[in-house]
Amino acid sequence: MKRVVIFFVFIHILLNGQEVKAASNISYNIEMLNWKEVDQILPKYTKFTVLDVETGKKFKVQRRAGSHHADVQPLTSKDTKIMKKIYGGKWSWKRRAIIVIHKDQWIAGSMHGMPHGAGALQNNFPGHFCIHFYGSNTHRTNSMDLSHMLMVLKASRKLNQYLGSANPYEVINAYVAGFKQQDSRITSLASLQKINWRPILEDVENIRLSRIELLPAEDLTEEISLDVPVEIDWYIKNRGRQTFRGDIHLIRFSPLDAWKVDSKDFLKENKFK
């Protein structure tokens, strides 16, 4: 019930504080649509609004290209300025949970904030950026980027549901992605303990899970504790590159409960305060 109240408070803030205008044909139902559906809803040259979930800031864009995801550009210089503010004044490849607003639909998505490639609009944006939806692929792979997927789930309010039923290895991968994207919502949901994530995540410039030892997930159905050997390459502010070779300890309180990472142990071993 509390989450429902928070959601409607969030919508109220968006409608009043961020000047998202209400209309009788808008349901505020955030849909997690497959890319094939979105590709038809937002064909090339469609203009729509991007709403950043974390900040509530919104800006207008136009889809210009893209076959596996949407290649888009801010519509005007003003829109570029708003987008850059969302990223703290510095362009970044970091993924962010967004809601795409088009006509009467609110669609869960994920964007990065790095101009690249070609651009055609007079908007002070040197290129285009990418928006992914559920089932979108990157240019380099035929599978969905994990970080984009997690942000789509976050935007659609299904992240908790996903992590609640994830196997230990999916939880670890999501947890590491939370560090990579500096997203405290992801790390919090995957963590056994409550942690003040902000100062920790601000120091993480990059992270890569280079090795993880796997057991068949079906062999773990009755386990409630697990040590997973991993190798992680960190890039930490003022410390540079460091490598962690050790175990990530996971716990759940029954076979029906969600797996959680023992963050205090993990952070201590990686020398975070």
Side-chain angles (χ1 to χ4, degrees):
M1 185 67 185
K2 183 178 179 181
R3 290 181 181 176
V4 173
V5 172
I6 291 172
F7 173 66
F8 282 106
V9 169
F10 171 71
I11 295 300
H12 176 78
I13 292 171
L14 294 181
L15 293 179
N16 295 282
Q18 298 298 331
E19 299 180 356
V20 178
K21 296 180 179 179
S24 59
N25 63 341
I26 295 179
S27 67
Y28 307 115
N29 175 42
I30 301 171
E31 301 175 274
M32 192 174 77
L33 301 181
N34 189 277
W35 163 242
K36 291 183 179 180
E37 296 177 77
V38 180
D39 191 25
Q40 300 300 312
I41 295 169
L42 305 173
K44 292 179 183 178
Y45 309 118
T46 301
K47 298 175 183 178
F48 54 90
T49 297
V50 171
L51 173 65
D52 180 66
V53 169
E54 286 289 334
T55 65
K57 295 183 184 296
K58 59 185 178 64
F59 60 99
K60 295 186 181 299
V61 302
Q62 183 182 49
R63 180 183 176 190
R64 301 292 302 184
S67 56
H68 299 292
H69 55 259
D71 291 339
V72 305
Q73 297 175 45
L75 205 56
T76 67
S77 297
K78 180 181 177 181
D79 294 304
T80 296
K81 188 175 181 180
I82 294 170
M83 182 182 175
K84 198 165 189 178
K85 282 184 179 179
I86 289 171
Y87 276 94
K90 185 178 180 180
W91 297 125
S92 170
W93 289 106
K94 301 293 184 188
R95 280 61 161 145
R96 295 187 68 92
I98 61 169
I99 298 169
V100 164
I101 302 173
H102 178 64
K103 295 182 179 178
D104 62 343
Q105 289 184 284
W106 288 30
I107 307 170
S110 171
M111 71 175 181
H112 68 64
M114 181 59 71
H116 65 285
L121 302 180
Q122 300 299 312
N123 57 8
N124 287 329
F125 191 86
H128 65 269
F129 70 100
C130 303
I131 293 180
H132 285 234
F133 300 89
Y134 195 78
S136 292
N137 297 333
T138 64
H139 291 297
R140 299 178 182 177
T141 70
N142 291 320
S143 59
M144 190 172 187
D145 176 81
L146 173 63
S147 293
H148 277 309
M149 184 188 79
L150 293 170
M151 293 303 174
V152 172
L153 290 167
K154 178 180 174 180
S156 63
R157 309 188 309 280
K158 294 181 179 180
L159 183 59
N160 203 348
Q161 177 184 339
Y162 168 77
L163 288 173
S165 60
N167 68 47
Y169 310 113
E170 292 169 332
V171 171
I172 289 173
N173 276 283
Y175 186 68
V176 171
F179 280 94
K180 185 178 181 66
Q181 305 306 326
Q182 297 178 317
D183 191 286
S184 61
R185 175 66 175 163
I186 297 172
T187 51
S188 293
L189 286 175
S191 176
L192 179 65
Q193 302 94 350
K194 290 185 178 181
I195 303 289
N196 180 15
W197 288 106
R198 177 168 290 184
I200 295 170
L201 297 180
E202 286 177 349
D203 283 344
V204 178
E205 295 179 344
N206 206 350
I207 181 176
R208 184 171 70 93
L209 180 61
S210 54
R211 184 180 65 86
I212 180 170
E213 290 190 15
L214 305 178
L215 289 173
E218 57 268 22
D219 291 350
L220 305 173
T221 54
E222 299 302 317
E223 299 292 333
I224 58 172
S225 177
L226 187 66
D227 290 319
V228 180
V230 298
E231 184 172 321
I232 293 174
D233 294 316
W234 293 93
Y235 296 85
I236 308 296
K237 189 183 298 181
N238 300 322
R239 279 197 268 165
R241 179 177 175 175
Q242 64 184 57
T243 299
F244 169 72
R245 296 181 183 90
D247 294 339
I248 290 182
H249 186 54
L250 296 102
I251 298 172
R252 59 180 176 176
F253 299 106
S254 82
L256 298 178
D257 288 325
W259 286 102
K260 300 287 185 179
V261 174
D262 183 349
S263 292
K264 287 190 176 180
D265 182 62
F266 179 71
L267 294 172
K268 182 180 179 181
E269 289 194 34
N270 284 278
K271 299 179 174 59
F272 285 99
K273 295 180 179 180

